[in-house]
Amino acid sequence: MKFLPILITAVVLAACSSTDTIVRPAEPTRRVQVGADLLIQRHLPELKNRKIGLVMNPTARVDGTHVLDTLRALDITIKALFAPEHGFRGDYGAGEKIADGVDASTGLPVYSLYGAHRKPTPSMLEGIDLLIFDMQDVGARFYTYISTLGLVLEAAAENDIEIWVLDRPNPAGGDYVSGWMLDAKHTSFVGAFPIPIAHGLTIGELANMMVGEKWLAGAANPKMKVLTMQGWKRSMRYDDTGLPWVPPSPNLPTADHAWIYLGTCLIEGTTMSEGRGTVDSFLQFGDPSAAVTKTTREAVQAMFDVSIRPVSFVPQDIPNRANNSKHRGKTVRGWFVDPNTGEGFDPVAFGLVATKAFLDASPEASVNNFMYRLAGTDRIMDYLNSEGLTHPAPLWKAEVEAFKGQSKRYLLY
């Protein structure tokens, strides 16, 4: 088995012309093989003579090469590409609408799933008999790739098209579940399913749960196959997998950013800065009017056993990463969180406490309606309006435990 990556590379190189060679550097043996690895190793014969659409972004990689380029080098017919938020090649910022177009590298049509349409239409799917979905999720309910997954599953069922979901790790691990369950009235594209803020599932497990719990429109039941991982354990954080991190969105350049993001993304529901327009979005945050005391900072550090240092930063426009960031050009006073956290660190609870600490100490800051979509509940305001800083985990403990029981039957690892 240890010689298999070398064998695959040789096959790919043999399939390329002298002017279209994929060169792959030697890599150390990885602990975890993802669904895309298994697709190439075991399922290539099933892809022959199929007309395939790929729902992917830059994280869909095998040994450093995009799955699209790998499949084309192996003579697999790809008919169309489908782009989620941030684009198929990852060159769009957060919330930036994407138009249909053509992939410059391959000439294939690219249909936007983050523009005029968020669900593939019958005309987009014409002539396709297999969809392959492969994206790195971050484990948060408000991360839009799982909403896209649900809509693609619905479209596959409605158009009688088979769909394969290639599984990848939950970067936060499979044991970490935290935050309020979604209240139905706050259902949106950043909260499409009744799950906690941090759900603890892989993308494949979520796909199974969407179908099994009949969360899809019309209780859709697509012809779906999940290609599971090998070697992944629920106790693993991303750094334990041996996999290289490919940013799933421009402002999550490392797995450390994705870890803290699970909680500090709540700051997007305020007028305060979540650090967009800097190289460390979500690790640093604050407000120009903030005057958080040393005593408050030390209390939060003690509550979560985390290191925090005071910082000042000035958000700026960063091409393909941040445009018109909050407080652009102004000095923001805030905190920088050390992402090297301890075993028991709860990023969702930390993010909520940090949000409250800064709202309490920033006279010009306020909450906006986006907060309800991110939190998924009105109950967040009870906490933000309360006196003092307390650990919020008991507020959602019962519903988290109920969700763990509900999701248990869908676990693949």
Side-chain angles (χ1 to χ4, degrees):
M1 180 62 71
K2 66 181 179 179
F3 297 111
L4 193 49
I6 297 174
L7 176 59
I8 293 168
T9 300
V11 171
V12 172
L13 291 176
C16 299
S17 69
S18 60
T19 59
D20 188 26
T21 300
I22 298 175
V23 179
R24 298 179 180 172
E27 293 188 358
T29 301
R30 292 183 270 112
R31 281 191 180 187
V32 173
Q33 289 191 308
V34 297
D37 291 306
L38 277 295
L39 176 76
I40 303 302
Q41 293 171 13
R42 300 181 182 178
H43 296 278
L44 285 179
E46 299 168 66
L47 300 181
K48 296 294 183 181
N49 302 317
R50 302 297 296 269
K51 297 173 182 177
I52 300 170
L54 303 182
V55 190
M56 296 181 178
N57 66 5
T59 64
R61 293 181 180 268
V62 177
D63 293 338
T65 301
H66 199 286
V67 172
L68 164 63
D69 302 317
T70 301
L71 291 176
R72 280 171 56 86
L74 291 165
D75 258 350
I76 302 301
T77 300
I78 308 300
K79 300 292 289 185
L81 312 177
F82 296 85
E85 184 179 9
H86 306 296
F88 192 88
R89 298 287 184 180
D91 45 4
Y92 289 82
E96 192 174 341
K97 299 303 179 187
I98 301 169
D100 294 345
V102 175
D103 180 59
S105 297
T106 64
L108 289 168
V110 181
Y111 296 111
S112 171
L113 301 183
Y114 199 75
H117 302 280
R118 290 184 173 175
K119 177 192 282 191
T121 66
S123 62
M124 293 177 185
L125 297 170
E126 189 173 352
I128 292 173
D129 59 28
L130 174 63
L131 287 168
I132 301 179
F133 185 103
D134 187 12
M135 293 183 215
Q136 178 62 62
D137 185 40
V138 301
R141 183 182 64 223
F142 39 64
Y143 209 60
T144 62
Y145 298 156
I146 62 175
S147 299
T148 296
L149 171 61
L151 293 172
V152 171
L153 289 172
E154 290 176 7
E158 292 163 3
N159 292 275
D160 196 28
I161 295 172
E162 188 176 1
I163 180 167
W164 294 3
V165 178
L166 312 187
D167 214 3
R168 289 185 179 268
N170 184 323
D175 294 327
Y176 176 63
V177 183
S178 185
W180 287 290
M181 293 281 286
L182 177 73
D183 290 342
K185 73 175 183 177
H186 291 301
T187 299
S188 72
F189 200 60
V190 293
F193 304 106
I195 58 179
I197 292 175
H199 51 71
L201 303 177
T202 68
I203 202 93
E205 291 170 338
L206 265 173
N208 283 336
M209 193 168 188
M210 290 174 194
V211 175
E213 295 296 312
K214 303 188 184 305
W215 290 341
L216 303 177
N221 187 20
K223 295 182 290 187
M224 181 179 70
K225 177 190 293 186
V226 176
L227 272 60
T228 57
M229 297 178 282
Q230 288 193 334
W232 189 73
K233 299 178 181 178
R234 308 203 77 79
S235 60
M236 287 181 171
R237 290 264 304 279
Y238 199 86
D239 288 344
D240 300 322
T241 65
L243 295 166
W245 178 260
V246 179
S249 53
N251 285 288
L252 298 180
T254 72
D256 287 338
H257 289 76
W259 174 234
I260 303 300
Y261 162 87
L262 295 176
T264 56
C265 184
L266 292 172
I267 295 171
E268 289 191 333
T270 74
T271 59
M272 302 185 295
S273 170
E274 66 282 353
R276 290 189 188 275
T278 77
V279 297
D280 280 315
S281 303
F282 306 108
L283 293 185
Q284 61 183 4
F285 48 85
D287 189 81
S289 68
V292 183
T293 66
K294 179 181 178 182
T295 299
T296 297
R297 177 168 57 85
E298 290 177 343
V300 175
Q301 287 187 134
M303 185 183 296
F304 291 98
D305 190 22
V306 65
S307 177
I308 306 168
R309 58 180 170 84
V311 293
S312 294
F313 58 88
V314 180
Q316 303 287 351
D317 284 346
I318 303 175
N320 300 324
R321 187 165 180 171
N323 292 308
N324 299 314
S325 300
K326 287 182 284 186
H327 305 300
R328 180 180 57 173
K330 297 180 181 179
T331 298
V332 174
R333 295 192 288 270
W335 288 350
F336 184 95
V337 185
D338 185 343
N340 296 306
T341 56
E343 288 295 320
F345 181 73
D346 183 339
V348 172
F350 168 80
L352 181 55
V353 171
T355 300
K356 176 171 170 51
F358 272 81
L359 284 171
D360 290 348
S362 304
E364 297 177 10
S366 61
V367 171
N368 58 48
N369 286 334
F370 192 50
M371 178 64 83
Y372 300 111
R373 294 185 179 184
L374 292 171
T377 178
D378 295 339
R379 288 172 286 170
I380 190 170
M381 295 309 300
D382 294 335
Y383 181 82
L384 293 178
N385 291 328
S386 64
E387 292 294 326
L389 296 177
T390 58
H391 202 298
L395 300 176
W396 52 68
K397 181 178 180 181
E399 53 199 289
V400 162
E401 291 305 314
F403 175 77
K404 286 181 178 179
Q406 179 189 17
S407 61
K408 189 174 182 179
R409 60 182 290 206
Y410 303 106
L411 300 185
L412 298 170
Y413 313 93

